[in-house]
Amino acid sequence: MGKSIALIVNGKRKKVKAHAASRVLDVLRETLKLTGTKEGCGEGECGACSVILNGEVVNSCLILFGQLNDGDDITTIEGIGGKKKLHPLQEYFLECGASQCGICTPGMIMAAYALLKKNPRPTHDEIRQAVAGNLCRCTGYAKIIEAIERCATSNVKI
Amino acid sequence: MGVVGQNAVRLDGREKVTGRALYVDDIVMPGMWHGVAVRTTIPSGKVLSVVFDPRFNWKKVVVADRHDIPGRNVVTMIEEDMPLLVHDEIRHIGEAIVLIAAPTKKMAEDARRHVEIRYEEWQPVLTIEDSKAKKRVIHGSDNVISRYKIDKGDVSAGFKDSDAIVEGVYRTGAQEQAYIEPQGIIASPGKGGGVDLVGSMQCPFYILKALERLLGMSETKLSVKQATVGGAFGGKEDYPSVLAGYASVLALKAKRPVKMIYDRNEDMNVTTKRHPSVVRHRTGVKKNGMLVAMDIGIELDAGAYTTLTPVVLSRGFLHSAGPYRCPNVRIAGAAFATNAPPNGAFRGFGAPQTLFAVEAHMDKIAEEIGMSPLELRRINCLKVGDEMATGQILKESVGALECLEKAAAASGFERKWRASLPLCKGESEGIEVRSTLPDPPLQREGTVRGIGISLFMHGGGFTGSGEAKMKGKAGIRLERDGKLTVLTGCTEMGQGAHTVLPQIVAECLGVPLSCVRVETPDTSKVPDSGPTVASRVTMVIGKVLCVCAEEMKRRLSEAAGRDHGDFRSLAGSFLKKRGPLTIIEAYEPTPGIHWDDTTYHGDAYAAYSWGCDVAEVEVDKDTFEIKVERMYMAHDVGRAVNPQMVEGQIEGGTLQALGWALMEDNRYDGGKLLNNRFQTYIIPTTMDTPFLELITVEHPFSHGPLGAKGVGELPHDGAAPAVVNAIANATGIRISEIPATPERLFEECKKKHFRSS
Ligand code: FES
Ligand code: FES
C-alpha cells in the first residue's frame, strides 16, 4: 500500500515513499524528518501544522499523502531560512518578540509567508485574517501581527 | 551595563523561528515504543473486571497494570490520595486502569480498543452543591478537600455601621489551559535500573519527587529533563507527574524508551482545568463610598482528588478582598470534591476567580450608592501603610492607585462611562439605550457601547511561608572559557525566564548578555529552584541569582587580592589559577516577613504586582454578541527586566482572560467533558483580539532583583471583571457568571424585563 510520489520539498526534488493513508504532517515529520512542522490538534483547527502546498497555505494534518500528485511543491519552515541566514519574517518574529513558547511559530510564519507572497503590502486587517486560522495561546497575537506588518513594510523581498 | 531594562531578543528565539527547537514529540530514540492508557468511562464506581480480547495478538505489545508499579501506587503532590492506576474505586471519567506500549502509536491504539472494562456504577457527585450537601461522600468524611477562614476586625459591627449593604453571587466556569503543544513525555530505562525522562513540563523536581515514591527509587537513579515546552500556563505544573508515571512504568516493563504524547482530545479530557467557583459577597459601605465590612464566601469545585487545590484555594482567599482597605473582613470557604477530573493550576491560581467576584461586585456597590466605579475604587484603593485582610501592612511598592489613575486617564474612563449609562427595556427590539454620546465614531449600527474598569493585584511567589520553606536554590558557573552558565531548575515555557534570568546575571556581573547561557533544566545537572509557578521566577530566583553574582564577585576579588578591576579580568586571573567556579545560593526571605499558617495572619506575600484594566465593549442589540474593542492595561511590575517580554505576558495573559470572560467554557454532561476539541472549545483568534494599549507603571520592590516583581499571572486577573462591568455600562445588565456569552446576556435581559414588568 506504500506509494511513491515525486515531490518538490523545500526546493529539492524528492521521491517520497509512504503509506497513502498517512497524513502529510506525519510524512514530513517522520519520513522526511522535518520536525519544524508541528501538531497541535490534528483536526485542522490550530494551524500549527501549516505548510505551503503549491503556493497555498494548508493544514498538513488534513491532507493524506495519497492525495498528493507527482510534481507537487511543498515548503515548510525549514525551506525558508535556516541557521545561517534567517528569512526576513523569521528576523522580524525574533525582533518583535512574536514567538514565546514557539510551538505556533513555524505554522504562523508559513501562513504569513503565503500571504506576503501573494499580497506583499497587506493591510492590518488582511494580516489578521490571513493568520486567523493559526492559534497562539501565548502572545495575544499583537506582536505577531506587528512582526508581519513590519516585514511587509520593510520592502524586503519575500 | 544596561542589560536590564532592554528588549533583549529571546535566547531560544532562533531555534524557535527556524523550527529547529526540539519539543518532546520531535525527539526519537532508538528502539522507542509508544504508550497509551486504557481509561475509565464512568465517573464513579468500581472496576469489576478487565477483559483482553483474545482476537488481538497481545504478544506484540506490553501491558502494565497496577501490579507493575515498583513502588507505591500514588501520584505524590500535596497529598497522596490520587492513584496512578485505578486500584478499587473510580473517581472520575478518564482515570487510567491499564497501560499499553507498542512499537507504533497506531498499534497501541488498536490494542486499547481491544480492552473492555466491566464496572459497577455508582451515583456520581457532579456539582459543588451536591458535594456540599453530601449527596454521597466521596472524599474524607465531608467531601471537603480544603477549608480556610480569615477574620479581621468585627464584621457584624461593621455592617451596623454601614449606610448600605450590598450582596452579590458570582460564578466562574472551568477553563482549559489550551497550550498549543499537548502533554508528552518519554521515559527510558536508565543506569542501575533507574529511569531517565524528557518531556514537556514546568517542574522537573515535582516529577522527580513523584517518581521516587511511585518507582520506589532514590533520586540518584532518576533524571528528569525538560524538552522545549510549547506552552504550559499551569497545565504542565502537576499533570506531567501523572504522565511521567505512566511512561516510566511502561519503560521499565518494556525495557525500552516509551513515548507518550496525548492528542488534543485526550489532553482536554484528562488534564487539569481552572477550578469553577462560586463567590458570595456581602459588603457594608458608607454613603461616601468607604468600605466598612466585607463578608466573603468562596467555594471551588476541586474535582476528584486533592492535587494542588489547597494552594489554589489559599491564593483565591488571599486575593478575594481585592486591592482595598477595609477594617472588617471575614473570608470563609472551602473546596469540594466532585466526580470530575481534578482541577489544578492555571495562570492566576484561584486569584482570577475571586478577583472577578470582588471587581464585578465593586461596580454593583457603586451603582447602589450612586457613585462612579472609578471614584469608589479611588477612595478604597490600597496605599503604602495600609493593612490588608490578613493584617499585612504594605510597606512599599504599591502602584495600585497609579495604575488606576493612568488607565482611567488613558481611556477617558469617566467621560465615556457617564456617556453610556443605559437602560434595559427588554422590549422586542432588544436592548434600548438611554443616552449615548457619539463617542467613538466607528461604532457600528445597531450596537451599544460601554466601558468597564477593574483594579487588582497579584502576590508574587509562594503564599505565606512557602518561599521560606522551599528555600529555592540557583547558581552561576564560571566556565573555563570565561562565559557564565545559569544553573536553575526553573523552566522556560515561553514566558522568557531563560532570557530574563541571564539578563539579571549579566547586569549584576557587568558582562554582556552574550556571555551568559542557561543550563537545560535537568534534575541531574541543576539545583532545585522550586517550581516554575506563582509568578516567582524573576522575583525570587532572579534575586537568588543576584546574591550568587555578588558572592562570585567577592570570591574572585578575594582570590585576586583586590576588589577593583572589571569582572572579566578578575575572572580571567581566577580561571588561570584555579579553574571554573560554581556558586549556588538559596533564597533568603525578605527580612521582616511574618506569616502564621494556622491563623492565616501576617504577610501573605513579600510583594504584590498591581494592575488596572479598562475594557471597551460593543454589544449588538439584536444578536447580543459582545465584542471587546479596546483594552487598556496599566500594570505595576516593579521593574521591567525585559519590557518587550513584559508586554508579551500582559498581551497574552489578557487575551487568555478575555477568552475565559467571553467564550471559554468546559461543559460536562454526567462527568463527561463535552467540548474536548478546538472545534467546540473555542479560544480567541486574531479576529477576537481587541486593540491592546499597555501602560507601564514601575514601583520597584526593594528586595526584588533590581526592583522587579512578578508579571506572569497578573494579566489574567483583571480582564473578565472589566468586561462584565463594560457590558453593564452598555446594556444595564450585570452579568454575574462568566463566560458572558450572548445567550447568557439574552437570558439576563429577559429576566430583568420580567422583573420590571
Ligand atoms: S495540527 Fe493541523 S490544524 Fe492543528
Ligand atoms: S508562542 Fe506559544 S502558542 Fe504561540
Side-chain angles (χ1 to χ4, degrees):
Chain A
M1 285 199 288
K3 192 175 168 184
S4 185
I5 304 178
L7 298 176
I8 303 168
V9 181
N10 293 332
K12 290 198 194 85
R13 292 185 179 283
K14 265 197 181 126
K15 258 254 180 288
V16 183
K17 213 174 159 236
H19 200 290
S22 301
R23 305 178 302 174
V24 169
L25 173 64
D26 298 325
V27 175
L28 290 171
R29 290 179 51 84
E30 288 162 24
T31 315
L32 299 172
K33 310 274 182 267
L34 296 170
T35 54
T37 304
K38 305 299 179 190
E39 173 164 2
C41 69
E43 298 187 329
E45 290 292 327
C46 75
C49 63
S50 302
V51 299
I52 295 173
L53 173 61
N54 301 329
E56 300 291 332
V57 59
V58 294
N59 291 326
S60 62
C61 71
L62 289 187
I63 301 177
L64 300 183
F65 183 67
Q67 293 174 283
L68 298 181
N69 297 306
D70 283 335
D72 277 352
D73 187 330
I74 299 179
T75 308
T76 69
I77 187 75
E78 290 90 347
I80 67 160
K83 211 171 186 167
K84 289 192 207 96
K85 178 131 183 56
L86 295 184
H87 184 274
L89 268 168
Q90 293 170 322
E91 294 275 9
Y92 281 105
F93 265 64
L94 256 188
E95 195 181 312
C96 297
S99 178
Q100 288 189 21
C101 82
I103 195 81
C104 71
T105 307
M108 202 63 90
I109 290 181
M110 294 321 286
Y113 179 84
L115 168 72
L116 297 189
K117 275 273 182 207
K118 281 194 190 159
N119 177 1
R121 278 302 183 96
T123 64
H124 186 83
D125 273 341
E126 284 169 338
I127 295 175
R128 277 178 25 144
Q129 265 154 26
V131 294
N134 292 72
L135 297 178
C136 174
R137 191 61 155 170
C138 297
T139 63
Y141 304 107
K143 301 205 182 310
I144 291 176
I145 293 167
E146 182 193 330
I148 302 171
E149 216 160 25
R150 281 184 52 192
C151 187
T153 50
S154 69
N155 283 327
V156 293
K157 193 165 156 18
I158 300 303
Chain B
M1 205 59 193
V3 182
V4 159
Q6 298 300 309
N7 290 337
V9 165
R10 72 168 43 248
L11 300 186
D12 53 351
R14 287 181 87 84
E15 305 281 314
K16 287 178 171 172
V17 299
T18 53
R20 282 184 297 125
L22 289 182
Y23 299 80
V24 60
D25 200 17
D26 304 333
I27 299 170
V28 176
M29 293 184 186
M32 184 177 83
W33 279 18
H34 298 263
V36 295
V38 181
R39 300 177 185 281
T40 56
T41 52
I42 62 165
S44 181
K46 214 168 120 172
V47 177
L48 294 180
S49 61
V50 180
V51 185
F52 294 88
D53 186 342
R55 282 168 302 180
F56 186 82
N57 181 357
W58 292 98
K59 288 205 196 76
K60 292 200 297 197
V61 302
V62 166
V63 177
D65 64 18
R66 68 187 164 84
H67 303 291
D68 294 302
I69 296 172
R72 288 189 53 203
N73 183 14
V74 292
V75 183
T76 304
M77 284 173 199
I78 293 174
E79 300 292 336
E80 296 197 327
D81 59 339
M82 179 159 79
L84 183 76
L85 299 174
V86 173
H87 182 94
D88 183 30
E89 184 187 340
I90 296 165
R91 293 242 203 135
H92 67 85
I93 289 179
E95 278 189 275
I97 301 179
V98 169
L99 304 167
I100 301 171
T104 64
K105 181 134 196 219
K106 206 162 160 277
M107 194 192 287
E109 278 163 0
D110 193 26
R112 171 158 66 179
R113 278 189 290 274
H114 287 85
V115 184
E116 192 199 332
I117 316 284
R118 302 210 172 121
Y119 306 104
E120 176 183 304
E121 290 196 45
W122 302 341
Q123 183 66 35
V125 175
L126 298 171
T127 61
I128 294 179
E129 286 71 26
D130 285 354
S131 177
K132 202 163 116 183
K134 291 190 262 190
K135 212 166 147 196
R136 242 191 63 226
V137 174
I138 57 169
H139 182 96
S141 59
D142 55 1
N143 287 339
V144 172
I145 295 242
S146 169
R147 181 192 287 288
Y148 304 101
K149 197 165 167 32
I150 291 176
D151 249 314
K152 177 192 171 191
D154 182 342
V155 175
S156 318
F159 281 127
K160 276 199 206 102
D161 211 22
S162 304
D163 295 325
I165 293 177
V166 183
E167 297 189 36
V169 183
Y170 304 89
R171 292 169 200 272
T172 63
Q175 186 187 17
E176 162 64 43
Q177 292 87 356
Y179 31 71
I180 303 299
E181 177 209 32
Q183 307 246 5
I185 273 182
I186 305 172
S188 349
K191 283 191 286 295
V195 178
D196 297 324
L197 276 126
V198 58
S200 187
M201 61 186 72
Q202 280 177 245
C203 311
F205 284 91
Y206 274 8
I207 298 180
L208 188 71
K209 193 169 143 218
L211 288 185
E212 271 186 83
R213 282 296 247 199
L214 185 80
L215 304 179
M217 281 178 198
S218 88
E219 60 173 74
T220 53
K221 287 189 169 181
L222 301 163
S223 78
V224 183
K225 184 166 118 183
Q226 189 207 19
T228 307
V229 168
F233 314 109
K236 294 172 185 170
E237 175 174 351
D238 54 327
Y239 193 82
S241 297
V242 177
L243 196 53
Y246 299 158
S248 300
V249 169
L250 280 173
L252 287 173
K253 186 149 186 196
K255 300 194 173 54
R256 53 173 73 241
V258 172
K259 184 189 235 184
M260 287 188 76
I261 307 280
Y262 283 169
D263 65 19
R264 181 58 58 186
N265 304 51
E266 187 164 28
D267 191 296
M268 286 193 171
N269 280 335
V270 302
T271 67
T272 59
K273 312 271 178 283
R274 182 184 299 289
H275 292 69
S277 74
V278 182
V279 180
R280 293 184 172 78
H281 273 270
R282 187 159 183 263
T283 312
V285 60
K286 289 277 197 198
K287 266 207 266 340
N288 64 8
M290 294 272 279
L291 298 175
V292 196
M294 297 173 95
D295 192 356
I296 306 169
I298 302 172
E299 289 168 2
L300 296 184
D301 178 346
Y305 295 105
T306 305
T307 64
L308 296 166
T309 291
V311 260
V312 172
L313 180 66
S314 160
R315 192 172 274 269
F317 257 67
L318 295 168
H319 289 75
S320 64
Y324 303 113
R325 201 181 320 110
C326 181
N328 309 296
V329 184
R330 178 167 57 209
I331 312 169
F336 296 93
T338 57
N339 290 119
N343 292 307
F346 189 163
R347 196 178 209 163
F349 212 69
Q353 290 96 314
T354 57
L355 282 164
F356 167 73
V358 69
E359 283 306 281
H361 192 61
M362 283 299 274
D363 265 43
K364 192 171 183 189
I365 297 171
E367 184 177 69
E368 299 224 355
I369 63 170
M371 186 176 267
S372 104
L374 173 60
E375 190 56 25
L376 180 68
R377 285 176 173 82
R378 191 179 274 146
I379 289 171
N380 293 290
C381 177
L382 285 169
K383 297 188 193 70
V384 170
D386 282 341
E387 190 190 41
M388 303 179 83
T390 59
Q392 173 165 12
I393 307 286
L394 292 166
K395 297 193 195 81
E396 57 163 335
S397 189
V398 184
L401 192 58
E402 189 180 331
C403 290
L404 182 73
E405 299 297 0
K406 286 198 163 157
S411 59
F413 178 82
E414 196 70 22
R415 178 178 53 84
K416 288 181 188 165
W417 181 78
R418 287 192 186 283
S420 39
L421 283 179
L423 174 71
C424 166
K425 284 191 181 160
E427 307 289 350
S428 55
E429 71 270 26
I431 302 165
E432 187 81 1
V433 195
R434 189 192 291 155
S435 67
T436 306
L437 288 187
D439 199 44
L442 291 176
Q443 180 169 348
R444 283 166 304 172
E445 231 182 282
T447 64
V448 286
R449 281 210 172 211
I451 192 165
I453 197 163
S454 68
L455 187 65
F456 47 94
M457 76 291 206
H458 205 92
F462 286 146
T463 300
S465 46
E467 294 295 348
K469 284 188 199 145
M470 167 61 74
K471 292 199 177 48
K473 292 186 229 23
I476 306 175
R477 189 168 59 222
L478 173 62
E479 308 285 2
R480 231 168 259 289
D481 61 0
K483 297 216 163 149
L484 296 145
T485 304
V486 175
L487 304 171
T488 174
C490 285
T491 51
E492 170 65 54
M493 46 201 185
Q495 85 282 37
H498 285 191
T499 303
V500 164
L501 294 178
Q503 277 185 275
I504 291 172
V505 169
E507 176 88 22
C508 290
L509 292 177
V511 300
L513 183 58
S514 56
C515 291
V516 190
R517 65 175 280 271
V518 186
E519 183 61 88
T520 304
D522 176 334
T523 55
S524 64
K525 288 189 185 153
V526 297
D528 185 359
S529 308
T532 304
V533 302
S535 307
R536 65 185 287 277
V537 174
T538 302
M539 186 174 114
V540 174
I541 298 307
K543 180 68 186 177
V544 177
L545 288 171
C546 287
V547 175
C548 290
E550 282 315 308
E551 177 61 12
M552 182 166 278
K553 281 198 273 192
R554 198 188 62 77
R555 295 272 288 275
L556 298 185
S557 307
E558 198 179 75
R562 58 183 162 105
D563 58 2
H564 55 278
D566 71 343
F567 181 79
R568 275 192 187 204
S569 71
L570 288 174
S573 60
F574 187 94
L575 282 165
K576 238 179 260 157
K577 270 192 264 170
R578 306 198 191 169
L581 171 66
T582 303
I583 306 283
I584 293 184
E585 298 284 343
Y587 184 68
E588 284 296 330
T590 313
I593 290 276
H594 303 286
W595 175 257
D596 185 336
D597 265 324
T598 49
T599 59
Y600 251 57
H601 190 84
D603 301 304
Y605 299 95
Y608 296 82
S609 300
W610 309 88
C612 178
D613 282 358
V614 173
E616 286 190 66
V617 305
E618 208 171 76
V619 181
D620 189 296
K621 289 201 271 182
D622 298 318
T623 64
F624 292 81
E625 276 165 300
I626 302 151
K627 191 165 185 317
V628 179
E629 289 289 334
R630 216 169 244 271
M631 289 288 303
Y632 302 84
M633 298 143 321
H635 288 200
D636 164 24
V637 299
R639 170 105 188 263
V641 176
N642 184 322
Q644 188 184 61
M645 286 183 169
V646 168
E647 287 166 23
Q649 286 300 296
I650 297 174
E651 289 161 353
T654 300
L655 192 64
Q656 210 168 37
L658 286 176
W660 185 50
L662 292 165
M663 58 179 86
E664 295 181 32
D665 194 10
N666 287 119
R667 302 221 145 257
Y668 294 86
D669 181 25
K672 186 172 164 41
L673 180 64
L674 296 177
N675 42 356
N676 61 0
R677 55 211 297 191
F678 282 143
Q679 248 160 43
T680 46
Y681 186 85
I682 309 292
I683 65 170
T685 71
T686 49
M687 303 315 280
D688 306 298
T689 308
F691 179 80
L692 303 170
E693 183 158 330
L694 274 67
I695 302 149
T696 310
V697 177
E698 292 186 314
H699 283 240
F701 167 43
S702 63
H703 201 69
L706 309 142
K709 301 186 281 191
V711 63
E713 297 167 286
L714 182 72
H716 210 303
D717 290 335
V723 165
V724 297
N725 291 340
I727 295 171
N729 182 233
T731 65
I733 297 164
R734 294 207 172 277
I735 298 277
S736 55
E737 179 169 4
I738 52 169
T741 56
E743 293 80 6
R744 214 161 248 164
L745 183 58
F746 177 63
E747 287 305 319
E748 288 301 316
C749 190
K750 274 201 307 198
K751 266 193 244 162
K752 185 157 178 165
H753 173 57
F754 186 70
R755 272 201 302 271
S756 61
S757 59

